[in-house]
Amino acid sequence: MLPPVASRFVAGESAATVLEHARQCNEDGIGVICNRLGEHYHDRAPADADAAAYERLAADIGASDLRACLSVKPSQLGLLVDEDVFRENLARVVAAGADHGVFVWMDMEDHTTTDPTLDAFEHHARERGGGVGLCLQANLRRTADDLRRLADCPGKVRLVKGAYDPPNDIAYPTQSRVNEAYRADLEYVFREYDGGIAVGSHDPEMLTLAADLHTKYGTPYEVQMLMGVRETAQRDLASVCDVWQYAPYGSSWPAYFWRRVLERKENALFALRALASG
Ligand code: FAD
């Protein structure tokens, strides 16, 4: 069972709990991106099972009036088992999304997965004329080129700084250089894209820049933030722009929870206080 301390970052263990979380967020004007926790599968069975769970979730969202969508991890759908397994499972989830009118995001994992993830996204985005989105990481030197490649592609792009630690020859070495790349990438997409831009960041500086670029170029965009992070800001922003919250759920919550707790001092203090009072 999910302990109360984890429920700040994880929307329960079942599909029903993430849908209930979506209902509550929707009341605050925030859409929800549902991510079933699971990654790095080396066997086909769990990858197939997660694809089936996403198909059911797409049907449940489609049958509801919720503003909710999906986000999948390539290694959760079998990329490390075999590229064909990944492609088959992704095709199932994307088809279910299209059948039920539910948008499907693809998270971006470590740099060894960038090419197959990008190729799979582009295939579905062009074939279906949209309905899918891809996360790109500003810390990778290649991302400016990838953004140019996708400029005329339907679908959406979520720009993040990058949560993995790629080798120096393919990535920017310092946080300030990553921030510089993020600012340049934002300027590029607001100038060159017709829309379909998601700013995946909690950074007040980047959110202000996005708002300024929106004013300058008139390009529509949305902000995406994680469940449990700057939630007051999420609610405030929802009154001025489109805001989506990325909400993970599922029984594999411990690894995700500890990642969140350990990445920032504020999160660790929150966890310690919650444990001390509980
Ligand atoms: P940082 O650069 O970490 O921090 C900048 C400033 O933002 C801080 O100084 C602070 O003011 C504010 N801030 C940041 N975090 C917090 C916090 N916890 N509490 C309070 N203030 C905070 N990465 C991937 O590699 N692949 C993905 O598919 C992916 N998907 C994502 C989806 C979403 C919706 C989001 C929000 C992030 C995703 N990420 C993904 C993670 C991303 O790459 C970054 O690691 C993460 O968002 C931290 O960068 P940042 O821009 O939010 O802020």
Side-chain angles (χ1 to χ4, degrees):
M1 209 184 113
L2 191 70
V5 63
S7 61
R8 169 168 165 182
F9 301 104
V10 180
E13 293 197 286
S14 67
T17 55
V18 78
L19 293 175
E20 172 54 23
H21 178 75
R23 193 188 60 70
Q24 289 170 17
C25 287
N26 286 182
E27 284 173 9
D28 290 329
I30 297 169
V32 167
I33 306 164
C34 306
N35 168 252
R36 182 179 163 86
L37 290 162
E39 59 189 332
H40 301 150
Y41 295 148
H42 288 280
D43 295 314
R44 178 161 193 157
D48 290 353
D50 277 14
Y54 277 123
E55 287 179 298
R56 289 192 298 274
L57 188 60
D60 288 345
I61 293 170
S64 73
D65 58 358
L66 292 172
R67 201 158 73 93
C69 62
L70 311 178
S71 203
V72 302
K73 286 203 178 341
S75 74
Q76 162 177 53
L77 297 184
L79 183 57
L80 306 184
V81 181
D82 185 280
E83 265 189 56
D84 285 342
V85 173
F86 163 57
R87 279 194 286 263
E88 274 173 44
N89 278 329
L90 179 67
R92 286 171 63 183
V93 178
V94 169
D99 287 349
H100 300 288
V102 176
F103 195 88
V104 178
W105 281 99
M106 295 168 68
D107 288 353
M108 186 60 82
E109 298 179 275
D110 74 70
H111 69 282
T112 63
T113 68
T114 310
D115 280 320
T117 304
L118 202 152
D119 291 347
F121 162 76
E122 192 173 9
H123 165 76
H124 289 292
R126 292 197 189 278
E127 186 178 73
R128 294 189 178 271
V132 285
L134 175 72
C135 180
L136 287 180
Q137 300 153 326
N139 63 346
L140 294 185
R141 293 175 190 273
R142 60 176 287 167
T143 291
D145 288 336
D146 291 338
L147 288 170
R148 270 190 286 280
R149 165 174 163 183
L150 297 179
D152 72 342
C153 185
K156 296 187 186 182
V157 167
R158 171 202 302 152
L159 187 64
V160 300
K161 292 185 187 174
Y164 298 83
D165 204 9
N168 275 347
D169 55 329
I170 59 162
Y172 295 114
T174 61
Q175 194 56 39
S176 66
R177 190 62 191 83
V178 173
N179 286 340
E180 192 183 323
Y182 195 96
R183 286 190 288 268
D185 291 341
L186 268 190
E187 174 93 32
Y188 177 79
V189 291
F190 274 91
R191 195 179 66 235
E192 300 295 337
Y193 282 36
D194 293 336
I197 303 169
V199 180
S201 178
H202 312 101
D203 189 340
E205 186 201 329
M206 300 310 165
L207 297 170
T208 301
L209 175 61
D212 291 348
L213 291 169
H214 168 68
T215 305
K216 182 173 172 187
Y217 295 109
T219 321
Y221 75 108
E222 64 192 58
V223 168
Q224 298 186 356
M225 296 199 213
L226 301 181
M227 179 178 174
V229 179
R230 301 200 67 213
E231 290 205 350
T232 306
Q234 295 182 27
R235 284 188 287 274
D236 291 348
L237 269 175
S239 60
V240 291
C241 72
D242 204 9
V243 177
W244 288 78
Q245 184 187 92
Y246 183 104
Y249 76 98
S251 54
S252 317
W253 58 264
Y256 178 85
F257 168 68
W258 285 113
R259 216 157 54 216
R260 291 281 80 80
V261 166
L262 296 175
E263 79 187 349
R264 283 187 79 81
K265 192 177 63 198
E266 296 90 326
N267 294 350
L269 287 173
F270 157 80
L272 282 174
R273 273 198 299 269
L275 288 170
S277 67

